[in-house]
Amino acid sequence: MKLSRLRSNSTKSRIQLLHQYYSYTGFYEFVLLALKNAFPYIVGFIAAIVTLNQFVDINLTLERVTQLLPVYGVLGFFFVSETILGLVPPEIFIAWSGNMPRPWQYLSILALLSYSGGLMAYWLGKCITTMPTVHNYLEVKMAKQLRNSKKWGGILIVIGAILPLPFAVSCMTAGIINYPFKSVMYYGSLRIFRIFAYGFVIFSML
């Protein structure tokens, strides 16, 4: 009984210390500010998608694309999507792989392409910072935000890898803030786990 209490108190103290660290370093403020800055773009994107969906069934269109394109065309389209913003839901391609003769083989290819696309997005982010205008803006006006982003870059990568958010955006951001590439490769590998987890769920429903 005493041992369980000690473990509970130890766990609680670690959580409290972590909370104090995030509060002291401004992590919560950083997240709120990032959400505040991204909110108008998220709302605008959702509004554009909803408006477009009134005239064109986006999901049906994407499904038809996977039906009309040859296998290499679908895989190429998926890789480009996962490299540039990653706005096309990967679930559509996972469902496509579930209807193929060797679903797990195609799912493995999708997982590797998604992971590779994120790494490619990282280098695109690095290239963006070579533009003088972008570089000066980041160095002068975004200096504090960049320092904070470098502290918690791993969390940003993990969030993008496992949650239903564009993985490419997280990786591109990591490239912009010059987050270590080895760490991006390490944390980003969770993307492969996510693809397989979603594949297991979707395959069981097909």
Side-chain angles (χ1 to χ4, degrees), residues 32 37 46 103 187:
L32 289 174
N37 291 336
I46 293 174
Y187 292 117

Side-chain angles (χ1 to χ4, degrees), residues 60-89:
L60 182 60
T61 301
L62 291 172
E63 288 177 6
R64 286 177 177 172
V65 167
T66 59
Q67 292 171 359
L68 294 174
L69 289 176
V71 171
Y72 63 86
V74 174
L75 295 176
F77 182 66
F78 176 71
F79 177 72
V80 171
S81 171
E82 290 293 276
T83 302
I84 305 174
L85 300 182
L87 298 178
V88 180

